[in-house]
Amino acid sequence: MALQLFGYIMSITGLCGLILATFTNEWKTIGHDNDETVFLDEYEGLWMKCTISSSSFVQCIGFNTLLHQAFEIRLARVMMITSMVFSSLGAIVAIFGLGCTRCLDKNKQSKDRAAFAGGILSVCSGLFALGITSWIMYGIVDDFFQEDKKARYVIGWSLIGAFAASLLCLFGGVLLCACSLTHLRSNTNLSKRPVSKIPGKDYV
């Protein structure tokens, strides 16, 4: 029960991280090669691009038109929102299968199946977010070493947070699935245990 609860907490923490990372803007920030004479900072997320001047004035431009955005922005939005939906559904479904709750107590097999389904949804959520964040990280690093690039972006904190949250969802879902499978197998073995027709004697 402790491992199952720990996996659920990991999944919930991952969901919170996905939401926070998706709607913050520091997916990539401008790199200055440690040049302290540059006072203009830029950072970009999935929804807007912001500039901070030397006087600490922040100006943000929202990405209002969907079709005019870069392919990676559109794909990242879809993948991250899909990941959040899967993770949310997994968190709701898994509640019914947790050993510390009273839900479905009369049917242990259904309870374990609910926890397993929640774990699968959390694993899918983690894979979606892990795939898109890894791809965007690779693109940022690859662009950084291009010689013809004037603006060199580096990986921002929001992208790092999304990557970490995807791992939490993934491993939390794996723990939920593993604990549920263990319970399902033990219950199946007990149900298949042969019973002797002779009163007072059971086969072992």
Side-chain angles (χ1 to χ4, degrees), residues 25 57 62 74 76-77 85 128 136 174 181 185:
N25 297 316
F57 178 75
R74 288 179 287 167
R77 286 180 181 179
V85 170
F128 282 133
I136 292 179
V174 169
L181 281 177
R185 287 177 179 176

Side-chain angles (χ1 to χ4, degrees), residues 5-27:
L5 183 60
F6 182 66
Y8 184 75
I9 293 173
M10 287 180 66
S11 300
I12 290 293
T13 306
L15 172 60
C16 296
L18 289 177
I19 295 172
L20 185 64
T22 301
F23 295 103
T24 51
N25 297 316
E26 290 191 28
W27 276 59

Side-chain angles (χ1 to χ4, degrees), residues 96-164:
F96 296 95
L98 293 178
C100 58
T101 63
R102 290 291 189 89
C103 303
L104 301 176
D105 271 348
K106 295 181 179 179
N107 193 336
K108 295 295 184 181
Q109 194 171 16
S110 298
K111 191 178 183 73
D112 291 331
R113 286 176 177 173
F116 182 77
I120 289 294
L121 288 169
S122 183
V123 168
C124 292
S125 168
L127 290 176
F128 282 133
L130 183 63
I132 191 62
T133 51
S134 300
W135 182 62
I136 292 179
M137 282 182 176
Y138 173 79
I140 293 174
V141 173
D142 185 58
D143 288 343
F144 184 84
F145 291 103
Q146 297 293 329
E147 296 181 356
D148 57 342
K149 290 284 185 179
K150 293 183 179 180
R152 297 175 183 268
Y153 284 94
V154 295
I155 298 171
W157 288 110
S158 297
L159 184 55
I160 295 173
F163 183 82

Side-chain angles (χ1 to χ4, degrees), residues 12-191:
I12 290 293
T13 306
L15 172 60
C16 296
L18 289 177
I19 295 172
L20 185 64
T22 301
F23 295 103
T24 51
N25 297 316
E26 290 191 28
W27 276 59
K28 58 181 182 180
T29 60
I30 200 75
H32 299 310
D33 297 330
N34 296 324
D35 187 357
E36 297 181 357
T37 63
V38 179
F39 298 103
L40 185 67
D41 287 326
E42 293 182 6
Y43 53 91
E44 184 177 327
L46 302 182
W47 312 98
M48 64 180 64
K49 180 178 182 180
C50 297
T51 304
I52 305 177
S53 64
S54 57
S55 59
S56 299
F57 178 75
V58 181
Q59 182 180 7
C60 296
I61 302 174
F63 301 149
N64 297 321
T65 56
L66 179 63
L67 297 178
H68 291 166
Q69 299 309 316
F71 174 73
E72 66 174 13
I73 296 292
R74 288 179 287 167
L75 182 61
R77 286 180 181 179
V78 172
M79 295 291 282
M80 292 303 294
I81 291 174
T82 304
S83 178
M84 287 188 294
V85 170
F86 271 69
S87 185
S88 301
L89 291 175
I92 294 171
V93 172
I95 289 177
F96 296 95
L98 293 178
C100 58
T101 63
R102 290 291 189 89
C103 303
L104 301 176
D105 271 348
K106 295 181 179 179
N107 193 336
K108 295 295 184 181
Q109 194 171 16
S110 298
K111 191 178 183 73
D112 291 331
R113 286 176 177 173
F116 182 77
I120 289 294
L121 288 169
S122 183
V123 168
C124 292
S125 168
L127 290 176
F128 282 133
L130 183 63
I132 191 62
T133 51
S134 300
W135 182 62
I136 292 179
M137 282 182 176
Y138 173 79
I140 293 174
V141 173
D142 185 58
D143 288 343
F144 184 84
F145 291 103
Q146 297 293 329
E147 296 181 356
D148 57 342
K149 290 284 185 179
K150 293 183 179 180
R152 297 175 183 268
Y153 284 94
V154 295
I155 298 171
W157 288 110
S158 297
L159 184 55
I160 295 173
F163 183 82
S166 68
L167 293 178
L168 286 173
C169 288
L170 181 61
F171 290 116
V174 169
L175 276 179
L176 283 173
C177 292
C179 294
S180 303
L181 281 177
T182 303
H183 293 160
L184 280 172
R185 287 177 179 176
S186 61
N187 292 335
T188 302
N189 292 335
L190 287 175
S191 63

